[in-house]
Amino acid sequence: MTLVIVGILIVGYLLIATERWNNLNKSSVAMFLGVMGWVLYMFNGTDYVLSMHGAEYAEYLGAVVSTPETVKAFIASHVFMQYVTSACQVILFIIATSSIIEVLHANEVFNFLGEWMRTRNSRRLLWTFSIVTFLISANIDNLTSAVTMLFLLRKLIPGERDRLYFSCVILMAANAGGCFTAIGDVTSLILWTKDAITPSAFAGHLALPSLTALLITTWLASRKLPEQIRVSSSLGAYRGDDSYLPRWQRLVLLFVGIGGLWAIPTFHSITLLPPFVGALCVMSLLWVLVHLFTINKLTVIPSSSNHLPWNLQTSDTSQILFFMGIALAVGAICETGAIQVLAGWCDTYIHNIYILTAIFGLVSSVFDSIPLLITSCSMYSVQGPEAVGYMSAFAQNGDYWNLLSFCTAMGGTLLTIGTVAGFAVTSIERIPFLWYINRFSWMVLTGWGAGLIVYYATSLAWS
């Protein structure tokens, strides 16, 4: 049965990787994998439970005789639900942060950026978009930050061909910015909820490598641009929307929204509540402020012209379903013991975390980075501080977890199909697949390599 479950997962990963050509929605495939994995697991549940949870199951039974029904009840309540709980923590965080950005965007908070960034100097504009996207993505997930900045880019630069390199750099900046903070991306959030990292140490290890990768890639892309570029004369006139807020109120919303996201790690360290609780707290506070600011107006519903593109709204729901499906599918594989066998093979024949995480990164350029990280994250448990030698890389804040986040983010940017953000950006901007490979992938690879060199050098300094 294990081979059947693994085989179905591999076929599903291939379908997810080739979504552009087979036209199968990756979220539907992921949900099918998650459900089918656990259905098949149930058929051989007794053997799996006795081999993986023998002591827990014996304690659960007490004096009761084991039957197929007790095995199923144990799986449903003690095995299956732990994966659902873990996935739901991430999902609630995604919902909260997406709602925060929707409120900020609907009230034209991000128009400040457009007013400040407008310039005809193409290279200066590219660098501005790169740095701003990098900083924003450190606070919100890479999909939301990439599409938000892309929406602003389309207002500033009307020419579709003029936006190609800008769109690619925005994607790179979103993935690079998201991978070095605990709240910046789904992948790093997974590591935080697993207790594999702590926010401060994680950012300290990865900030410089991620910034290096971004700067190298942006510099290479800037050399392909002309000196001047045509920009729009304005971001769009105010059309009399009753939800329009004065400048000081929009500044308050920006401070509460982005500042509140930055405070989530502190909130977690003080209260020990899960990270999604802090995100929900910021979201609710932001909604209360919007209500107070608009209480005397005719309507509190922003006009449709201020909404984020429909691509982002549908992508949020799709990403949630996709993540849940993959989390459940990988959970079923973990409970069969197959993941542990793979980890043992890697320890024996590779035994180098730089090579191992680089391989994961290259694979994530074809397969989505989220299932790759969930799978590779599940291969090892977090070791205690007493771990030495090779196993010390798997302790909390160990090099394996840091490199895993960095390499899957960079690898996922090598191709347009490597991340959900990449798929969204290339779909909105209609970036040709072969054009991206020929013109931009080598820039990402160069930045990735430079970032790994910086990480290795700084890790020697840390030790």
Side-chain angles (χ1 to χ4, degrees):
M1 188 60 70
T2 300
L3 292 177
V4 175
I5 298 175
V6 172
I8 291 176
L9 183 66
I10 293 174
V11 173
Y13 275 17
L14 290 173
L15 292 175
I16 290 171
T18 57
E19 179 189 22
R20 179 185 292 266
W21 299 281
N22 60 38
N23 293 323
L24 287 175
N25 184 280
K26 64 168 62 178
S27 298
S28 62
V29 175
M31 288 303 298
F32 177 81
L33 292 177
V35 173
M36 186 55 62
W38 282 100
V39 170
L40 295 175
Y41 177 90
M42 283 294 192
F43 287 129
N44 200 37
T46 301
D47 293 340
Y48 290 140
V49 167
L50 292 178
S51 62
M52 301 289 292
H53 303 279
E56 297 174 49
Y57 182 57
E59 182 179 356
Y60 171 79
L61 285 174
V64 180
V65 178
S66 177
T67 64
E69 286 69 27
T70 58
V71 171
K72 292 178 182 178
F74 176 80
I75 293 173
S77 59
H78 287 72
V79 181
F80 176 74
M81 284 307 298
Q82 67 175 334
Y83 293 99
V84 175
T85 302
S86 178
C88 284
Q89 291 188 51
V90 178
I91 288 172
L92 286 172
F93 191 93
I94 294 173
I95 292 173
T97 54
S98 299
S99 300
I100 290 169
I101 299 304
E102 171 68 18
V103 170
L104 294 179
H105 197 285
N107 289 280
E108 301 180 329
V109 171
F110 291 110
N111 275 13
F112 289 119
L113 296 177
E115 297 169 2
W116 170 65
M117 293 167 63
R118 184 184 288 109
T119 175
R120 292 192 62 198
N121 187 310
S122 61
R123 293 176 182 176
R124 183 189 303 168
L125 186 61
L126 181 70
W127 278 103
T128 305
F129 264 102
S130 175
I131 298 300
V132 171
T133 305
F134 181 81
L135 295 176
I136 290 179
S137 187
N139 296 276
I140 57 178
D141 69 275
N142 54 3
L143 171 64
T144 306
S145 58
V147 178
T148 299
M149 295 306 295
L150 189 63
F151 185 49
L152 184 59
L153 175 68
R154 291 166 69 90
K155 285 186 173 183
L156 281 174
I157 304 178
E160 186 172 309
R161 292 183 61 85
D162 295 335
R163 295 196 301 262
L164 284 176
Y165 278 110
F166 284 85
S167 303
C168 294
V169 168
I170 284 174
L171 173 60
M172 169 63 180
N175 287 338
C179 76
F180 88 94
T181 64
I183 63 172
D185 189 20
V186 175
T187 53
S188 52
L189 185 61
I190 294 170
L191 294 174
W192 189 18
T193 56
K194 183 183 171 72
D195 286 329
I197 62 170
T198 56
S200 298
F202 184 70
H205 281 95
L206 286 183
L208 192 55
S210 299
L211 183 60
T212 300
L214 174 73
L215 295 179
I216 294 295
T217 307
T218 305
W219 177 74
L220 292 172
S222 67
R223 293 166 58 87
K224 301 293 183 179
L225 297 177
E227 288 293 333
Q228 301 291 321
I229 194 169
R230 184 168 60 93
V231 297
S232 300
S233 58
S234 65
L235 289 178
Y238 168 55
R239 299 182 177 179
D241 176 20
D242 287 318
S243 66
Y244 179 83
L245 300 179
R247 182 177 292 268
W248 74 268
Q249 290 181 344
R250 285 182 285 162
L251 283 173
V252 170
L253 293 181
L254 180 63
F255 176 79
V256 172
I258 303 300
L261 289 173
W262 270 108
I264 289 176
T266 304
F267 175 89
H268 170 72
S269 64
I270 294 175
T271 64
L272 298 182
L273 292 171
F276 74 86
V277 179
L280 291 174
C281 180
V282 177
M283 179 192 71
S284 59
L285 178 60
L286 200 63
W287 278 357
V288 169
L289 285 175
V290 171
H291 178 72
L292 292 176
F293 289 160
T294 58
I295 195 168
N296 294 323
K297 298 182 182 292
L298 296 178
T299 177
V300 296
I301 303 175
S303 66
S304 58
S305 63
N306 292 332
H307 282 170
L308 287 174
W310 179 248
N311 305 69
L312 178 58
Q313 299 178 48
T314 55
S315 293
D316 282 339
T317 303
S318 180
Q319 185 184 18
I320 289 171
L321 295 175
F322 174 70
F323 176 80
M324 176 60 84
I326 291 297
L328 294 180
V330 173
I333 296 293
C334 286
E335 291 301 323
T336 65
I339 295 276
Q340 290 77 3
V341 173
L342 176 60
W345 186 92
C346 291
D347 291 342
T348 302
Y349 295 101
I350 299 179
H351 203 71
N352 185 296
I353 58 169
Y354 283 87
I355 297 176
L356 182 60
T357 53
I359 292 173
F360 287 143
L362 291 173
V363 175
S364 70
S365 66
V366 178
F367 299 96
D368 193 285
S369 59
I370 291 179
L372 253 297
L373 185 130
I374 294 176
T375 303
S376 52
C377 185
S378 302
M379 288 172 58
Y380 300 96
S381 57
V382 180
Q383 302 297 308
E386 69 280 358
V388 295
Y390 175 72
M391 295 309 296
S392 65
F394 303 96
Q396 188 180 62
N397 296 317
D399 288 335
Y400 175 77
W401 312 113
N402 299 328
L403 288 170
L404 188 60
S405 177
F406 179 72
C407 288
T408 52
M410 296 300 101
T413 318
L414 276 179
L415 300 178
T416 58
I417 59 176
T419 59
V420 177
F423 185 79
V425 169
T426 54
S427 297
I428 295 171
E429 285 298 304
R430 296 196 291 271
I431 301 175
F433 184 72
L434 293 179
W435 183 94
Y436 188 94
I437 294 176
N438 294 330
R439 305 290 182 86
F440 195 71
S441 292
W442 69 271
M443 300 181 189
V444 176
L445 190 61
T446 304
W448 181 8
L452 283 177
I453 293 173
V454 170
Y455 182 87
Y456 180 74
T458 54
S459 65
L460 292 178
W462 276 78
S463 59

